[in-house]
């Protein structure tokens, strides 16, 4: 039995909605969920020499769109590609730390101490995760105070970049999980980043704030970081069974064109299950559609970077 979806690949009994997969599409079915021809992204060649890191900020002022999920699972998928990855929890809620099995309330040193205390180095805060090659700079609710305290600092938008700089030579990619706002912390992340990735839920209200976000990114490019690039918009929580989801995705592609990743992250209960387990979905359920989607996203991201030429500047 097969199920044909609207503008997507053919479905199968195991994958009835034609969701994002890593294998080659069936013959004659060359359109992905975005309605565009689905490219085949090459397997990246593992790097023999690591660093310096390309810094990417995960930004969307709307909460619950998949920023933390994408930071964890894209990071883990990049590690599978042979890269060394640093994750930075830059949301006072500490969701990234929790998603990797770390209790933020039990931490003595966090990103907050890096930012506000001159005698605390990034190496003092750095934690290894359960995935080899994937390290974390954790945070907790203390970080919320930094937004107020940084206001009086000289070069307040550049503090995060200053404290991250000593670590970047040892990693290939640094992913910063930002809070759901466009405040000073997020501006710090954008100022030190080479690129910004925008996870976007396939839902109408998620579209409304994109224009404001793009305006903020433009101001940072103009005033603080003229080398900041938009890596792309990532459609998350996609459900091809709903007309609304398909229409929202089509509108995003219409508005942003090739800036929208071909890879689409589908809605599945396996993501919250992996979060509860405190590990990436690539290790929690390696054969799941969600794990394969993030592996495909990793290949697409690396393909866009055209490694190693533009991995970092």
């Amino acid at each position: 039995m097969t199920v044909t979806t609207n503008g997507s690949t053919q479905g199968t009994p195991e994958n009835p909605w034609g969701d994002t997969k890593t294998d080659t599409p069936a013959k004659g079915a060359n359109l992905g969920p975005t309605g565009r021809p689905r490219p085949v992204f090459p397997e990246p060649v593992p790097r023999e020499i690591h660093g310096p890191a390309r810094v990417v900020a995960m930004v969307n002022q709307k909460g619950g769109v998949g920023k933390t999920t994408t930071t964890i699972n894209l990071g883990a998928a990049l590690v599978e590609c042979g890269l060394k990855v640093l994750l930075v929890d830059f949301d006072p809620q500490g969701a990234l730390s929790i998603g990797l099995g770390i209790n933020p309330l039990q931490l003595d040193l966090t990103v907050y101490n890096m930012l506000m205390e001159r005698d605390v180095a990034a190496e003092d805060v750095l934690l290894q995760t359960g995935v080899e090659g994937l390290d974390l700079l954790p945070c907790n609710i203390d970080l919320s105070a930094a937004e107020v305290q940084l206001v009086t600092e000289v070069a307040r938008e550049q503090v995060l970049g200053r404290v991250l700089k000593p670590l970047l030579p040892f990693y290939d990619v640094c992913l910063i999980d930002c809070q759901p706002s466009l405040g000073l912390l997020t501006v710090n992340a954008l100022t030190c980043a080479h690129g910004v990735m925008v996870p976007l839920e396939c839902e109408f209200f998620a579209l409304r704030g994109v224009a404001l976000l793009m305006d903020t990114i433009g101001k940072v490019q103009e005033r603080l970081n003229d080398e900041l690039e938009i890596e792309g918009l990532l459609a998350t929580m996609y459900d091809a069974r709903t007309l609304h989801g398909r229409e929202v995705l089509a509108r995003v592609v219409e508005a942003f064109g090739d800036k929208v990743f071909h890879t689409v992250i589908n809605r599945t209960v396996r993501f919250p299950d992996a979060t509860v387990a405190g590990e990436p979905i690539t290790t929690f359920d390696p054969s799941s559609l969600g794990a394969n989607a993030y592996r495909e996203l990793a290949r697409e991201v690396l393909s866009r970077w055209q490694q190693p030429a533009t991995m970092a500047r």
Side-chain angles (χ1 to χ4, degrees):
M1 180 188 76
T2 62
V3 179
T4 303
T5 60
N6 182 22
S8 185
T9 60
Q10 269 195 335
T12 65
E14 295 75 26
N15 181 24
W17 305 112
D19 295 334
T20 301
K21 300 178 72 175
T22 56
D23 52 348
T24 304
K27 184 177 179 180
N30 61 347
L31 295 183
T34 63
R36 298 169 295 174
R38 185 202 302 263
V40 177
F41 302 108
E43 290 288 343
V45 178
R47 307 187 79 189
E48 297 181 0
I49 300 176
H50 298 285
R54 182 175 179 87
V55 181
V56 178
M58 295 284 177
V59 179
N60 193 324
Q61 75 271 28
K62 186 179 186 302
V65 298
K67 292 189 297 295
T68 301
T69 298
T70 296
T71 304
I72 293 173
N73 294 303
L74 175 58
L78 288 170
V79 167
E80 289 187 356
C81 294
L83 279 68
K84 292 191 66 176
V85 179
L86 172 65
L87 304 183
V88 180
D89 192 348
F90 215 49
D91 181 353
Q93 298 177 77
L96 181 64
S97 303
I98 294 172
L100 288 168
I102 296 167
N103 185 349
L105 300 179
Q106 296 179 351
L107 297 172
D108 295 324
L109 294 174
T110 67
V111 170
Y112 170 80
N113 302 97
M114 284 171 46
L115 296 177
M116 307 308 303
E117 300 173 19
R118 291 280 181 172
D119 59 338
V120 176
E123 294 85 351
D124 300 328
V125 181
L126 189 66
L127 298 177
Q128 292 183 334
T129 70
V131 179
E132 186 177 357
L134 185 69
D135 295 339
L136 170 69
L137 290 174
C139 85
N140 55 25
I141 194 63
D142 291 346
L143 185 62
S144 59
E147 188 131 32
V148 177
Q149 295 171 343
L150 285 174
V151 170
T152 58
E153 289 284 325
V154 176
R156 60 189 181 186
E157 298 90 353
Q158 300 169 2
V159 176
L160 178 62
R162 174 179 57 80
V163 298
L164 284 182
K165 188 175 181 180
L167 288 180
L168 299 185
F170 304 101
Y171 296 91
D172 301 309
V173 182
C174 173
L175 302 178
I176 305 175
D177 182 30
C178 298
Q179 65 177 346
S181 79
L182 297 179
L184 185 54
L185 293 180
T186 300
V187 171
N188 257 266
L190 292 174
T191 301
C192 73
H194 300 123
V196 53
M197 187 178 296
V198 183
L200 182 69
E201 182 184 5
C202 291
E203 192 267 341
F204 173 75
F205 288 108
L207 286 174
R208 300 187 64 188
V210 174
L212 178 59
L213 173 60
M214 293 302 170
D215 182 58
T216 300
I217 292 172
K219 289 179 180 178
V220 171
Q221 289 172 322
E222 179 182 346
R223 305 173 186 177
L224 296 169
N225 183 3
D226 59 1
E227 295 185 338
L228 179 66
E229 301 175 355
I230 298 177
E231 302 282 359
L233 288 82
L234 175 66
T236 63
M237 305 182 190
Y238 178 64
D239 189 343
R241 295 171 294 183
T242 66
L243 176 61
H244 180 69
R246 297 195 299 269
E247 287 179 341
V248 169
L249 181 55
R251 288 184 61 183
V252 172
V253 174
E254 180 182 357
F256 297 99
D258 290 339
K259 285 295 183 183
V260 181
F261 287 106
H262 289 273
T263 305
V264 171
I265 308 301
N266 298 279
R267 189 182 298 275
T268 169
V269 297
R270 302 306 281 166
F271 288 127
D273 289 347
T275 300
V276 172
E279 59 181 299
I281 197 170
T282 51
T283 59
F284 177 76
D285 192 353
S287 61
S288 65
L289 288 173
N292 287 335
Y294 275 108
R295 292 186 183 108
E296 182 170 340
L297 176 63
R299 290 197 295 270
E300 182 172 1
V301 166
L302 292 175
S303 177
R304 290 192 178 203
W305 289 344
Q306 298 176 351
Q307 73 172 132
T310 60
M311 276 290 295
R313 298 191 299 275

